[in-house]
PDB file of all heavy atoms in Angstrom:
ATOM      1  N   LEU A  29      -4.179 -18.144 -11.666  1.00 94.00           N
ATOM      2  CA  LEU A  29      -3.769 -19.547 -11.562  1.00 94.00           C
ATOM      3  C   LEU A  29      -2.287 -19.706 -11.862  1.00 94.00           C
ATOM      4  O   LEU A  29      -1.592 -20.506 -11.224  1.00 94.00           O
ATOM      5  CB  LEU A  29      -4.596 -20.410 -12.505  1.00 94.00           C
ATOM      6  CG  LEU A  29      -6.115 -20.390 -12.306  1.00 94.00           C
ATOM      7  CD1 LEU A  29      -6.782 -21.433 -13.192  1.00 94.00           C
ATOM      8  CD2 LEU A  29      -6.476 -20.604 -10.850  1.00 94.00           C
ATOM      9  N   GLN A  30      -1.789 -18.928 -12.822  1.00 93.00           N
ATOM     10  CA  GLN A  30      -0.357 -18.963 -13.127  1.00 93.00           C
ATOM     11  C   GLN A  30       0.464 -18.494 -11.928  1.00 93.00           C
ATOM     12  O   GLN A  30       1.525 -19.059 -11.623  1.00 93.00           O
ATOM     13  CB  GLN A  30      -0.065 -18.102 -14.354  1.00 93.00           C
ATOM     14  CG  GLN A  30      -0.559 -18.703 -15.652  1.00 93.00           C
ATOM     15  CD  GLN A  30      -0.454 -17.742 -16.826  1.00 93.00           C
ATOM     16  OE1 GLN A  30      -0.538 -16.521 -16.666  1.00 93.00           O
ATOM     17  NE2 GLN A  30      -0.250 -18.280 -18.017  1.00 93.00           N
ATOM     18  N   ARG A  31      -0.005 -17.473 -11.242  1.00 91.00           N
ATOM     19  CA  ARG A  31       0.717 -16.982 -10.069  1.00 91.00           C
ATOM     20  C   ARG A  31       0.705 -18.022  -8.958  1.00 91.00           C
ATOM     21  O   ARG A  31       1.711 -18.263  -8.292  1.00 91.00           O
ATOM     22  CB  ARG A  31       0.083 -15.675  -9.564  1.00 91.00           C
ATOM     23  CG  ARG A  31       0.327 -14.488 -10.457  1.00 91.00           C
ATOM     24  CD  ARG A  31       1.815 -14.112 -10.459  1.00 91.00           C
ATOM     25  NE  ARG A  31       2.127 -13.214 -11.542  1.00 91.00           N
ATOM     26  CZ  ARG A  31       2.413 -13.582 -12.786  1.00 91.00           C
ATOM     27  NH1 ARG A  31       2.443 -14.867 -13.097  1.00 91.00           N
ATOM     28  NH2 ARG A  31       2.673 -12.695 -13.719  1.00 91.00           N
ATOM     29  N   VAL A  32      -0.435 -18.636  -8.735  1.00 91.00           N
ATOM     30  CA  VAL A  32      -0.545 -19.654  -7.691  1.00 91.00           C
ATOM     31  C   VAL A  32       0.394 -20.819  -7.965  1.00 91.00           C
ATOM     32  O   VAL A  32       0.998 -21.388  -7.048  1.00 91.00           O
ATOM     33  CB  VAL A  32      -2.004 -20.149  -7.580  1.00 91.00           C
ATOM     34  CG1 VAL A  32      -2.101 -21.385  -6.696  1.00 91.00           C
ATOM     35  CG2 VAL A  32      -2.900 -19.046  -7.028  1.00 91.00           C
ATOM     36  N   CYS A  33       0.548 -21.154  -9.259  1.00 91.00           N
ATOM     37  CA  CYS A  33       1.385 -22.299  -9.644  1.00 91.00           C
ATOM     38  C   CYS A  33       2.784 -21.884 -10.073  1.00 91.00           C
ATOM     39  O   CYS A  33       3.556 -22.722 -10.586  1.00 91.00           O
ATOM     40  CB  CYS A  33       0.697 -23.080 -10.763  1.00 91.00           C
ATOM     41  SG  CYS A  33      -0.843 -23.863 -10.244  1.00 91.00           S
ATOM     42  N   ASN A  34       3.129 -20.618  -9.873  1.00 88.00           N
ATOM     43  CA  ASN A  34       4.486 -20.120 -10.158  1.00 88.00           C
ATOM     44  C   ASN A  34       4.935 -20.421 -11.583  1.00 88.00           C
ATOM     45  O   ASN A  34       5.971 -21.062 -11.804  1.00 88.00           O
ATOM     46  CB  ASN A  34       5.499 -20.706  -9.162  1.00 88.00           C
ATOM     47  CG  ASN A  34       5.271 -20.200  -7.750  1.00 88.00           C
ATOM     48  OD1 ASN A  34       4.975 -19.024  -7.555  1.00 88.00           O
ATOM     49  ND2 ASN A  34       5.385 -21.080  -6.780  1.00 88.00           N
ATOM     50  N   THR A  35       4.156 -19.978 -12.538  1.00 90.00           N
ATOM     51  CA  THR A  35       4.504 -20.229 -13.933  1.00 90.00           C
ATOM     52  C   THR A  35       3.932 -19.144 -14.829  1.00 90.00           C
ATOM     53  O   THR A  35       3.002 -18.428 -14.443  1.00 90.00           O
ATOM     54  CB  THR A  35       3.960 -21.605 -14.386  1.00 90.00           C
ATOM     55  OG1 THR A  35       4.408 -21.873 -15.717  1.00 90.00           O
ATOM     56  CG2 THR A  35       2.448 -21.632 -14.368  1.00 90.00           C
ATOM     57  N   PHE A  60      -1.323 -27.395 -14.398  1.00 94.00           N
ATOM     58  CA  PHE A  60      -0.060 -26.743 -14.742  1.00 94.00           C
ATOM     59  C   PHE A  60       1.098 -27.685 -14.434  1.00 94.00           C
ATOM     60  O   PHE A  60       1.145 -28.281 -13.349  1.00 94.00           O
ATOM     61  CB  PHE A  60       0.103 -25.436 -13.947  1.00 94.00           C
ATOM     62  CG  PHE A  60      -0.852 -24.350 -14.358  1.00 94.00           C
ATOM     63  CD1 PHE A  60      -2.103 -24.245 -13.780  1.00 94.00           C
ATOM     64  CD2 PHE A  60      -0.489 -23.419 -15.332  1.00 94.00           C
ATOM     65  CE1 PHE A  60      -2.977 -23.240 -14.148  1.00 94.00           C
ATOM     66  CE2 PHE A  60      -1.351 -22.411 -15.710  1.00 94.00           C
ATOM     67  CZ  PHE A  60      -2.605 -22.316 -15.120  1.00 94.00           C
ATOM     68  N   SER A  62       4.009 -26.983 -13.640  1.00 91.00           N
ATOM     69  CA  SER A  62       4.807 -26.489 -12.513  1.00 91.00           C
ATOM     70  C   SER A  62       4.258 -26.927 -11.170  1.00 91.00           C
ATOM     71  O   SER A  62       4.988 -26.975 -10.173  1.00 91.00           O
ATOM     72  CB  SER A  62       4.891 -24.962 -12.556  1.00 91.00           C
ATOM     73  OG  SER A  62       3.582 -24.405 -12.474  1.00 91.00           O
ATOM     74  N   ASN A  63       2.955 -27.234 -11.122  1.00 89.00           N
ATOM     75  CA  ASN A  63       2.356 -27.699  -9.866  1.00 89.00           C
ATOM     76  C   ASN A  63       1.150 -28.582 -10.168  1.00 89.00           C
ATOM     77  O   ASN A  63       0.001 -28.140 -10.089  1.00 89.00           O
ATOM     78  CB  ASN A  63       1.930 -26.526  -8.982  1.00 89.00           C
ATOM     79  CG  ASN A  63       1.576 -26.983  -7.566  1.00 89.00           C
ATOM     80  OD1 ASN A  63       1.364 -28.174  -7.333  1.00 89.00           O
ATOM     81  ND2 ASN A  63       1.521 -26.051  -6.639  1.00 89.00           N
ATOM     82  N   PHE A  68      -7.743 -27.586 -11.693  1.00 96.00           N
ATOM     83  CA  PHE A  68      -8.672 -26.471 -11.818  1.00 96.00           C
ATOM     84  C   PHE A  68      -9.750 -26.812 -12.843  1.00 96.00           C
ATOM     85  O   PHE A  68      -9.473 -27.415 -13.887  1.00 96.00           O
ATOM     86  CB  PHE A  68      -7.943 -25.202 -12.251  1.00 96.00           C
ATOM     87  CG  PHE A  68      -6.883 -24.741 -11.287  1.00 96.00           C
ATOM     88  CD1 PHE A  68      -5.536 -24.944 -11.576  1.00 96.00           C
ATOM     89  CD2 PHE A  68      -7.227 -24.137 -10.097  1.00 96.00           C
ATOM     90  CE1 PHE A  68      -4.552 -24.528 -10.691  1.00 96.00           C
ATOM     91  CE2 PHE A  68      -6.239 -23.723  -9.194  1.00 96.00           C
ATOM     92  CZ  PHE A  68      -4.897 -23.910  -9.502  1.00 96.00           C
TER      93      PHE A  68
END
Side-chain angles (χ1 to χ4, degrees):
L29 301 188
Q30 288 171 330
R31 288 293 166 275
V32 169
C33 294
N34 293 320
T35 185
F60 291 88
S62 60
N63 192 344
F68 299 104

